[in-house]
Amino acid sequence: TVEMLKAETSAAQFESIMKATKINLNPMSVQANTLIKGLNDTSMSVQALRNVLYHNGFHDNFDLIANHDIGFIEVTVRHL
């Protein structure tokens, strides 16, 4: 944990490690947030998850490149 790292390294080493491993958060698209909300609100059954994916996922005007995060979520949920 971070507390163990802090206890076992100097302050300069700790700051260097924390700075080097910092991950910048990327905001998710509206479509991805909608899909996540739908998945959170459904029961854990294959049929219910499939329905959420179909209703909140790919549509005729869906741009896979612009909305790459929703594609990742859909693939991950399909292979649970």
Side-chain angles (χ1 to χ4, degrees), residues 24-29 33 68-69:
N24 295 326
L25 298 178
N26 292 324
M28 289 194 299
S29 66
N33 284 323
H68 63 283
D69 50 359

Side-chain angles (χ1 to χ4, degrees), residues 32-43 48-49 52-53 56:
N33 284 323
T34 302
L35 177 59
I36 289 172
K37 182 179 180 332
L39 291 171
N40 283 334
D41 293 344
T42 193
S43 62
L49 290 171
V52 169
L53 288 173
N56 295 295

Side-chain angles (χ1 to χ4, degrees), residues 4 6 15 36 55 59 67 74:
M4 289 173 55
K6 195 178 229 180
E15 289 301 321
I36 289 172
H55 286 92
H59 302 287
N67 299 298
E74 288 186 338

